[in-house]
């Protein structure tokens, strides 16, 4: 019977169009605010890491599946239940028997999982097994700009080239160890305070599933507890992407292998299974961070850009010490789990932000910070409930709760409520929000996903937020409203989509006497055509109208991506024309790049962006990738400001990457 069902599913999916890569699928989740936030680059880089080390479905569990942020709790649980009954799998198409999985998610899932051999590994592998089955991965990359910034001529301490090195060893999803060395353009190399060469080194060792030791991280790592009110140094999905995983709660430790200088801890973290129902997670971290100092030696602002290009930036490098201690103890039975969490943070310098503005009144101050919380989650085949409630040292409250309901196999609803007191501060918190931090916000979000057929998907959300205390550029209480409708149809060779977003934000007028609305409307049209399996064409049109106090600014962008792939060679061409009135009507454009290189530049003014990306596999072990890009501006003679200014109207650069697998 199982073979008959499998054959039927294979015939059903034969009518489905060939797939885009995972980057193309993920970018449909991203809104303008997502692209303008470095958090999106973290999301893409961590997904790249998961894609490079896919999960073996014949040797996995629900906790490992929940590392994939696009899966709902019901989908992860449904896959785990199917695996428990039918392992070993023979094809990914078998997962169509999991009712909670839709075709869109299954198409994306195939980039992050494999059908490997079913094994019962020993608790500790032998040296022979490590040598025989371990994999070595080495990458070297760099960016060569064909222009000079003002800082390259005078001001920057280093040369204008960016480069990085990565080495990683993996063994059967159980052992991962490596080091990443990164250098930004303008930073000194084997000079100044960088006497050890690169400006930044990230090293890590990760062990998984060694008896009761479920996870151990040594070196640089990331932590996510619950829904992120206390601790989330991974990433936070945006409003549209939240519909994809229905706002689930998760507890995750992962190695920090990226070149990012922010959102990670340094030390030791572990999760231990005490019994079938009880687990405990603990972590300890100590690291040097950057800060802008006041005249009395206190820290005014913590810095996470990682730039050390000028003498001023270099003086701020590692001038403050941070210590973090925390953990979680959790109980789980079936699909119900409850965790108690705590995080303590100490700085050797007191935090003392400027107090001459109202929005700094409740900013984090002092040396010591303590946050505690309780989070929970429960699900069945129809309902998903999750939430977290937290307190800081002063007793201020932050709470978030979400409820998802599958009304049918085609229709699901999600409701999310959050309340973050203006006095609540969490230095490592990152959760669902409209504002810039988990503070001073009260909002409610309603979203829905409707799939009338396997080829159609409609998603929509509406979100309202109130801020009771002044914020940056807002001198009184304010509100925000955000609504989006998105539809996508996928056929055998064609796919098209449409998205409309309406967003209202408030801020002070020019005289700072009244609060006014800024309304933005954004429309996106997409079309994909795959005439033959090796060739994919993607066309996209973006438009924006921003209205404020009777004034309007407009922007438009038209782009075309063409990708051709053969067994050992791939080639992609990108072209985009843009025209906008000002920075308010800017447009963000995601384009493919070399692995582990993600950026979402904002374009405004009038210009043309085009790029050529190629990748060549030299046998089974060596891959070379290169991307040549150029941006021409038609309305200016200089690009950028300050030390980043380039005295020409066009910018061209070359990305190179060498990848060796052994």
């Amino acid at each position: 019977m199982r073979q008959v069902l499998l054959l039927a599913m294979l015939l059903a999916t034969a009518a489905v169009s060939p797939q885009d890569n995972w980057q193309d699928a993920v970018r449909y989740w991203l809104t303008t605010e997502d692209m303008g936030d470095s958090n999106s680059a973290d999301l893409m880089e961590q997904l790249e890491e998961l894609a490079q080390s896919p999960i073996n479905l014949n040797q996995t569990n629900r906790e490992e599946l929940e590392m994939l942020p696009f899966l709902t709790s019901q989908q992860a649980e449904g896959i785990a239940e199917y695996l428990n009954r039918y392992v070993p799998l023979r094809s990914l198409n078998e997962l169509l028997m999991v009712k909670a999985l839709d075709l869109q998610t299954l198409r994306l899932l195939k980039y992050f999982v494999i059908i490997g051999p079913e094994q019962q590994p020993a608790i500790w592998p032998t040296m022979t097994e490590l040598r025989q089955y371990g994999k070595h991965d080495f990458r070297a990359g760099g960016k060569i700009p064909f222009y000079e910034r003002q800082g390259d001529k005078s001001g920057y301490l280093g040369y204008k080239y960016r480069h990085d090195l990565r080495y990683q060893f993996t063994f059967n999803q159980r052992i991962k160890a490596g080091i990443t060395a990164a250098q930004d353009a303008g930073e000194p190399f084997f000079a100044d305070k960088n006497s050890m060469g690169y400006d930044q080194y990230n090293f890590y060792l990760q062990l998984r599933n060694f008896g009761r030791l479920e996870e151990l991280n040594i070196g640089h790592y990331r932590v996510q507890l619950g829904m992120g009110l206390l601790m989330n140094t991974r990433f936070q999905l945006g409003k549209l992407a939240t519909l994809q995983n229905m706002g689930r709660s998760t507890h995750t430790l992962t190695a920090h292998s990226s070149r990012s200088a922010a959102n990670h801890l340094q030390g030791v973290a572990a999760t231990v299974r005490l019994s079938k129902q009880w687990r405990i997670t603990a972590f300890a971290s100590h690291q040097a961070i950057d800060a802008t100092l006041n005249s009395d030696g206190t820290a005014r602002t913590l810095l996470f850009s990682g730039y050390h290009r000028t003498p001023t930036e270099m003086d701020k490098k590692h001038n403050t010490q941070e210590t973090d201690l925390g953990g979680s103890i959790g109980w789980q039975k079936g699909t119900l789990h409850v965790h108690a969490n705590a995080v303590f943070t100490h700085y050797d310098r007191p935090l003392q932000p400027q107090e001459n503005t109202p929005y700094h009144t409740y900013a984090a101050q002092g040396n010591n910070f303590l946050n505690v919380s309780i989070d929970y989650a429960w699900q069945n085949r129809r309902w998903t409930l999750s939430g977290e409630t937290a307190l800081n040292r002063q007793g201020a409250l932050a709470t978030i709760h979400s409820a998802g309901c599958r009304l049918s196999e085609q229709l699901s609803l999600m409701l999310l409520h959050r309340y973050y007191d203006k006095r609540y501060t969490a230095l490592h918190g990152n959760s669902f929000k409209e504002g810039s931090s988990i503070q001073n916000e009260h909002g409610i979000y309603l979203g829905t996903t409707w799939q009338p057929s396997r080829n159609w998907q409609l998603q929509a959300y509406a979100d309202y937020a109130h801020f009771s205390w002044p914020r940056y550029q807002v001198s009184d209480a304010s509100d925000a409203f955000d609504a989006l409708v998105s539809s996508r149809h996928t056929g055998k060779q064609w796919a098209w989509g449409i998205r409309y977003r309406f967003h209202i934000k408030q801020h002070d007028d020019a005289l700072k006497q009244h609060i006014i609305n800024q309304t933005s409307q954004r429309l996106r049209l997409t079309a994909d055509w795959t005439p033959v399996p090796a060739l994919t064409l993607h066309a996209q049109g973006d438009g924006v109208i921003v209205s404020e106090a009777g004034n309007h600014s407009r922007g438009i962008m038209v782009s075309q991506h063409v990708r051709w792939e053969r067994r050992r060679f791939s080639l992609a061409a990108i072209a985009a024309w843009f025209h906008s009135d000002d920075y308010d009507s800017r447009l963000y454009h995601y384009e493919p790049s070399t692995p582990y290189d993600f950026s979402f530049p904002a374009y405004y003014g009038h210009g043309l962006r085009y790029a050529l990306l190629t990748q060549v596999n030299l046998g089974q072990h060596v891959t070379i990738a290169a991307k040549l890009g150029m941006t021409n501006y038609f309305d200016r003679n200089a690009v950028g400001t300050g030390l980043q200014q380039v005295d020409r109207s066009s910018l061209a650069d070359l990305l190179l990457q060498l990848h060796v697998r052994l």
Side-chain angles (χ1 to χ4, degrees):
M1 182 64 181
R2 184 186 177 200
Q3 286 77 10
V4 175
L5 289 173
L6 177 58
L7 177 61
M9 288 183 295
L10 288 171
L11 293 175
T13 55
V16 177
S17 65
Q19 289 308 299
D20 296 335
N21 56 33
W22 68 264
Q23 294 97 329
D24 290 336
V26 170
R27 65 188 168 90
Y28 284 106
W29 301 346
L30 303 177
T31 63
T32 302
E33 281 72 18
D34 297 331
M35 291 186 179
D37 189 345
S38 61
N39 178 68
S40 288
D42 280 344
L43 167 63
M44 300 293 276
E45 188 155 349
Q46 290 180 55
L47 285 174
E48 179 73 46
E49 179 67 26
L50 291 170
Q52 295 294 332
S53 303
I55 296 170
N56 179 5
L57 287 178
N58 286 327
Q59 195 171 342
T60 189
N61 52 39
R62 182 180 58 82
E63 288 77 17
E64 190 172 34
L65 290 169
E66 286 187 341
M67 293 179 60
L68 301 175
F70 52 84
L71 290 180
T72 68
S73 297
Q74 291 160 323
Q75 289 171 338
E77 182 68 23
I79 295 172
E81 287 181 359
Y82 184 85
L83 295 176
N84 288 336
R85 295 181 61 185
Y86 296 115
V87 161
L89 265 63
R90 301 181 181 90
S91 168
L92 283 178
N93 291 309
E94 290 190 57
L95 294 181
L96 283 172
M97 297 179 69
V98 179
K99 291 184 178 181
L101 270 180
D102 57 87
L103 286 179
Q104 299 286 350
T105 303
L106 182 59
R107 291 166 184 164
L108 182 57
L109 185 66
K110 78 171 191 176
Y111 295 102
F112 301 96
V113 298
I114 58 173
I115 304 296
E118 183 185 14
Q119 299 175 344
Q120 294 297 329
I123 293 180
W124 297 98
T126 65
M127 292 301 297
T128 301
E129 290 175 324
L130 291 175
R131 288 193 301 268
Q132 185 174 358
Y133 300 108
K135 298 179 181 180
H136 302 268
D137 190 286
F138 174 80
R139 295 178 188 266
K143 181 178 181 180
I144 303 171
F146 300 115
Y147 51 83
E148 278 193 323
R149 304 176 181 88
Q150 291 295 329
D152 298 326
K153 302 174 184 177
S154 177
Y156 288 157
L157 298 172
Y159 47 71
K160 62 182 182 179
Y161 308 106
R162 189 198 81 187
H163 52 94
D164 55 69
L165 297 174
R166 299 169 184 262
Y167 166 75
Q168 181 170 282
F169 170 83
T170 56
F171 173 78
N172 287 349
Q173 303 294 320
R174 300 179 66 205
I175 300 176
K176 182 164 68 174
I179 184 171
T180 301
Q183 189 83 10
D184 288 312
E187 295 177 338
F189 189 57
F190 282 108
D192 206 276
K193 291 185 179 181
N194 293 342
S195 59
M196 298 298 292
Y198 281 89
D199 181 71
Q200 176 189 332
Y201 292 94
N202 292 334
F203 57 91
Y204 55 93
L205 169 64
Q206 178 178 282
L207 305 179
R208 281 185 177 157
N209 301 322
F210 283 80
R212 290 184 178 273
L213 180 64
E214 293 192 348
E215 178 120 20
L216 173 66
N217 282 269
I218 301 175
H220 292 78
Y221 60 90
R222 299 176 186 261
V223 180
Q224 180 174 348
L225 302 178
M227 299 189 75
L229 296 186
L230 268 66
M231 172 66 69
N232 182 10
T233 58
R234 295 182 72 215
F235 49 78
Q236 174 58 37
L237 295 177
K239 294 180 181 179
L240 184 59
T242 297
L243 276 176
Q244 192 72 26
N245 74 356
M246 298 293 282
R248 62 179 168 86
S249 171
T250 185
H251 286 247
T252 307
L253 300 179
T254 55
H256 174 64
S257 59
S258 80
R259 69 192 314 275
S260 170
N263 296 329
H264 70 268
L265 302 177
Q266 177 179 285
V268 180
T271 297
V272 178
R273 186 177 69 253
L274 302 178
S275 66
K276 187 176 181 179
Q277 286 82 30
W278 291 91
R279 285 171 173 79
I280 186 170
T281 295
F283 60 88
S285 168
H286 181 80
Q287 58 184 329
I289 61 174
D290 300 355
T292 299
L293 304 183
N294 296 309
S295 58
D296 60 358
T298 58
R300 180 191 308 168
T301 307
L302 301 180
L303 304 174
F304 302 103
S305 68
Y307 289 133
H308 306 115
R309 302 162 298 184
T310 66
T312 300
E313 290 177 347
M314 187 60 76
D315 287 341
K316 298 175 183 178
K317 181 177 181 179
H318 297 172
N319 60 8
T320 302
Q321 302 293 315
E322 176 187 302
T323 301
D324 295 285
L325 302 172
S328 172
I329 183 167
W331 175 85
Q332 179 172 343
K333 187 172 183 179
T335 60
L336 172 66
H337 75 69
V338 181
H339 289 80
N341 316 294
V343 175
F344 172 77
T345 300
H346 169 78
Y347 295 100
D348 67 333
R349 300 177 185 273
L351 299 187
Q352 185 57 60
Q354 292 178 316
E355 295 183 342
N356 57 353
T357 54
Y359 71 90
H360 273 144
T361 302
Y362 297 105
Q365 299 184 36
N367 294 87
N368 300 314
F369 304 88
L370 176 65
N371 297 76
V372 295
S373 78
I374 294 178
D375 74 90
Y376 68 91
W378 173 82
Q379 70 181 61
N380 61 19
R381 295 188 180 276
R382 182 177 296 271
W383 287 92
T384 299
L385 304 177
S386 58
E388 183 175 10
T389 299
L391 297 172
N392 67 357
R393 190 175 182 180
Q394 290 73 35
L397 175 73
T399 185
I400 181 171
H401 303 274
S402 71
C405 179
R406 289 177 61 89
L407 300 177
S408 67
E409 293 186 9
Q410 293 78 34
L411 180 64
S412 62
L413 296 175
M414 178 187 169
L415 179 68
L416 184 147
H417 171 264
R418 74 272 190 193
Y419 171 76
Y420 310 140
D421 192 284
K422 62 187 177 185
R423 298 171 297 129
Y424 181 80
T425 54
L427 296 165
H428 297 294
N430 187 14
S431 189
F432 188 99
K433 60 186 183 298
E434 164 71 21
S436 59
S437 63
I438 309 301
Q439 186 180 34
N440 184 32
E441 181 171 333
H442 188 191
I444 190 164
Y445 167 97
L446 177 64
T448 183
T449 298
W450 180 43
Q451 292 185 286
S453 70
R454 288 188 172 185
N455 302 101
W456 279 92
Q457 183 184 68
L458 176 69
Q459 292 183 302
Y461 72 74
D463 182 58
Y464 168 77
H466 175 71
F467 311 97
S468 62
W469 189 256
R471 300 188 299 147
Y472 179 64
Q473 294 184 338
V474 189
S475 58
D476 204 344
S478 59
D479 301 282
F481 178 76
D482 185 11
L484 180 144
V485 178
S486 175
S487 178
R488 181 163 173 80
H489 177 269
T490 303
K492 185 175 181 180
Q493 291 182 312
W494 283 91
W496 64 266
I498 182 171
R499 176 196 294 182
Y500 171 75
R501 188 183 185 201
F502 179 78
H503 198 188
I504 300 176
K505 297 189 295 184
Q506 295 184 320
H507 61 82
D508 291 336
D509 63 7
L511 300 177
K512 296 186 178 182
Q513 295 179 346
H514 303 282
I515 293 179
I516 59 176
N517 290 339
Q518 183 187 75
T519 302
S520 65
Q521 300 180 73
R522 294 183 179 270
L523 179 68
R524 170 173 294 177
L525 303 173
T526 61
D528 297 88
W529 182 40
T530 308
V532 294
L535 181 64
T536 301
L537 294 89
H538 170 78
Q540 180 171 304
D542 290 274
V544 57
I545 300 176
V546 180
S547 304
E548 180 180 309
N551 299 316
H552 305 280
S553 63
R554 297 173 174 83
I556 187 172
M557 175 183 286
V558 179
S559 61
Q560 176 71 60
H561 297 189
V562 180
R563 183 172 66 249
W564 179 72
E565 297 182 3
R566 301 298 293 174
R567 187 172 183 180
R568 295 180 177 272
F569 178 78
S570 67
L571 183 68
I574 304 103
W577 172 83
F578 57 91
H579 194 295
S580 75
D581 294 335
D582 51 30
Y583 183 75
D584 285 340
S585 55
R586 63 193 179 278
L587 300 115
Y588 289 89
H589 182 243
Y590 169 74
E591 62 184 36
S593 189
T594 57
Y596 292 99
D597 186 88
F598 302 101
S599 63
F600 306 88
Y603 296 106
Y604 63 96
H606 187 199
L608 182 66
R609 167 69 178 175
Y610 44 95
L612 191 65
L613 171 66
T614 184
Q615 181 170 296
V616 182
N617 296 327
L618 304 177
Q620 296 181 348
H621 304 291
V622 180
T623 301
I624 297 176
K627 178 183 177 181
L628 178 64
M630 177 172 287
T631 307
N632 291 330
Y633 290 92
F634 306 139
D635 60 348
R636 67 195 73 174
N637 296 318
V639 181
T641 59
L643 295 179
Q644 288 289 96
Q645 180 173 316
V646 179
D647 294 326
R648 53 190 301 181
S649 61
S650 63
L651 304 177
D653 52 62
L654 176 66
L655 280 171
L656 295 171
Q657 186 179 97
L658 171 66
H659 182 198
V660 179
R661 302 172 297 277
L662 300 174

